[in-house]
Amino acid sequence: MTILGIDTSNYTTSLSLVSEEGFLHVRKILDVKKGECGLRQSDALFLHTVNLPELFPKLYESYFEKYGEHAKIDAVAYSAYPRDAQGSYMPCFLAGASAASAVASSLGAPLLKFSHQAGHIMAALKTCGGENEVGDEFLALHLSGGTTELVRAKADEQIGFSANIVCDTADISAGQLIDRAGVMLGLKFPCGGELEKLAASAGNAKGIKPIKITVRGGECNMSGAENRIRELVSRGEDRGKIAYFTLDFVAKNVIALTEQAREKYPALPVIFAGGVMRNKIIREKIKEKIDNIYFASEELSSDNAVGTAYLGLEIMKKGAVVRNGRS
């Protein structure tokens, strides 16, 4: 059984084919002009419509080359909204919805929709190396360009995972802080990878006064660090140290959020997902402080359709679908 997955997040167009044997994956980052900190939804939607016709042939070429006449798509799964919550909506996901509907209709295959967050969680679960140990209930920390949420996740036959927020941010997300810091330092958006290299070149933030980390009622605050970074840049502080300071601040907040969640759910393992969690500096700092934790693979930490396709595969295996309808 093979499932096509489609995810059109705010900054990545992604397609995948998964089966019990593994997955194929293609994606393209949406272009953001240098000096800018993101895209308008209308621009993201347009870029997805440009990228999808380019990516489908690349994915299919690899698939048919591998399976030849036995190649078959049994269902189409797509990301329809950011998270499984009332009112959760972003126009960029309409591009994926349209493509998924067209493909499913042409194939006469089931059409399954999920949240972008559930896809991230599933991608992490499938690639963390401890799927059997994690079980059907766990904590998942989703850190990406627009999200900083620690949720209590439970397997759900209809939507993949129920995800109830335990801890989050009161203002900007970890990804927003990283990207804004990077842009201030002259890096191209999205800035995570280049900021990590810059931070590694310094190795520390010696000489920069740290910001006290405070988590109240399950919420952290990150906007204060943005103001501090702006001051550091304006006075000509070493760029590498500013980058390290930024990543160290994010890591300390992640640790504080996780520790607070563990006070309520001490026995549950924690899975870390989302593009921010590709960062090796942040990962290592977390590993030093928290146990019983798992990370998505580096490839599937950032936005991808692989998790979405795996959600569809699990639904199809259980037979909980309506043909050409919704799960």
Side-chain angles (χ1 to χ4, degrees), residues 26-55:
V26 294
R27 63 181 161 201
K28 186 173 182 179
I29 305 298
L30 305 189
D31 187 54
V32 178
K33 294 179 181 178
K34 189 168 183 178
E36 296 186 0
C37 289
L39 287 169
R40 293 179 298 178
Q41 281 290 298
S42 58
D43 293 332
L45 182 58
F46 170 76
L47 290 171
H48 285 310
T49 63
V50 172
N51 290 347
L52 284 166
E54 175 186 332
L55 292 179

Side-chain angles (χ1 to χ4, degrees), residues 230-305:
R230 186 174 291 108
E231 293 173 5
L232 293 169
V233 172
S234 66
R235 74 183 192 211
E237 182 62 72
D238 181 85
R239 294 170 72 248
K241 289 186 176 182
I242 295 173
Y244 194 95
F245 166 82
T246 303
L247 299 182
D248 182 64
F249 178 80
V250 169
K252 287 177 178 176
N253 274 280
V254 169
I255 291 166
L257 289 173
T258 306
E259 288 176 340
Q260 186 158 118
R262 275 277 174 79
E263 291 177 5
K264 190 172 183 180
Y265 303 104
L268 294 184
V270 185
I271 288 182
F272 294 90
V276 173
M277 296 317 306
R278 294 186 67 180
N279 190 286
K280 295 181 179 65
I281 293 174
I282 294 176
R283 284 192 186 213
E284 290 307 311
K285 288 181 178 294
I286 294 170
K287 289 177 183 178
E288 291 173 2
K289 297 292 184 179
I290 308 292
D291 60 6
N292 195 17
I293 59 175
Y294 300 86
F295 294 90
S297 68
E298 185 174 338
E299 177 189 0
L300 298 187
S301 291
S302 53
D303 289 350
N304 67 84

Side-chain angles (χ1 to χ4, degrees), residues 74-306:
D74 297 280
V76 180
Y78 70 100
S79 299
Y81 28 73
R83 62 187 308 274
D84 290 291
Q86 188 71 29
S88 182
Y89 170 75
M90 288 178 72
C92 58
F93 290 108
L94 293 174
S98 177
S101 179
V103 174
S105 294
S106 65
L107 295 176
L111 178 63
L112 312 171
K113 72 175 183 177
F114 302 97
S115 72
H116 177 71
Q117 184 175 74
H120 264 302
I121 294 173
M122 178 58 92
L125 184 63
K126 287 293 184 180
T127 62
C128 70
E131 181 179 0
N132 294 331
E133 290 80 10
V134 170
D136 292 334
E137 182 179 355
F138 51 89
L139 298 175
L141 188 55
H142 176 197
L143 274 79
S144 63
T147 305
T148 295
E149 290 180 354
L150 196 157
V151 302
R152 182 188 181 192
K154 291 184 179 181
D156 186 293
E157 290 190 357
Q158 296 300 313
I159 60 175
F161 299 99
S162 63
N164 298 312
I165 296 175
V166 179
C167 297
D168 61 1
T169 174
D171 42 39
I172 64 174
S173 71
Q176 286 174 318
L177 176 62
I178 287 171
D179 286 328
R180 291 177 185 182
V183 170
M184 281 188 265
L185 291 169
L187 307 179
K188 191 177 187 303
F189 185 99
C191 306
E194 290 303 310
L195 194 75
E196 181 178 0
K197 292 178 183 177
L198 194 57
S201 71
N204 62 69
K206 188 176 180 180
I208 298 178
K209 185 178 179 180
I211 295 177
K212 183 180 179 180
I213 306 300
T214 304
V215 177
R216 292 190 180 92
E219 291 185 332
C220 66
N221 295 86
M222 296 200 179
S223 58
E226 181 184 359
N227 297 330
R228 171 71 67 81
I229 292 163
R230 186 174 291 108
E231 293 173 5
L232 293 169
V233 172
S234 66
R235 74 183 192 211
E237 182 62 72
D238 181 85
R239 294 170 72 248
K241 289 186 176 182
I242 295 173
Y244 194 95
F245 166 82
T246 303
L247 299 182
D248 182 64
F249 178 80
V250 169
K252 287 177 178 176
N253 274 280
V254 169
I255 291 166
L257 289 173
T258 306
E259 288 176 340
Q260 186 158 118
R262 275 277 174 79
E263 291 177 5
K264 190 172 183 180
Y265 303 104
L268 294 184
V270 185
I271 288 182
F272 294 90
V276 173
M277 296 317 306
R278 294 186 67 180
N279 190 286
K280 295 181 179 65
I281 293 174
I282 294 176
R283 284 192 186 213
E284 290 307 311
K285 288 181 178 294
I286 294 170
K287 289 177 183 178
E288 291 173 2
K289 297 292 184 179
I290 308 292
D291 60 6
N292 195 17
I293 59 175
Y294 300 86
F295 294 90
S297 68
E298 185 174 338
E299 177 189 0
L300 298 187
S301 291
S302 53
D303 289 350
N304 67 84
V306 177

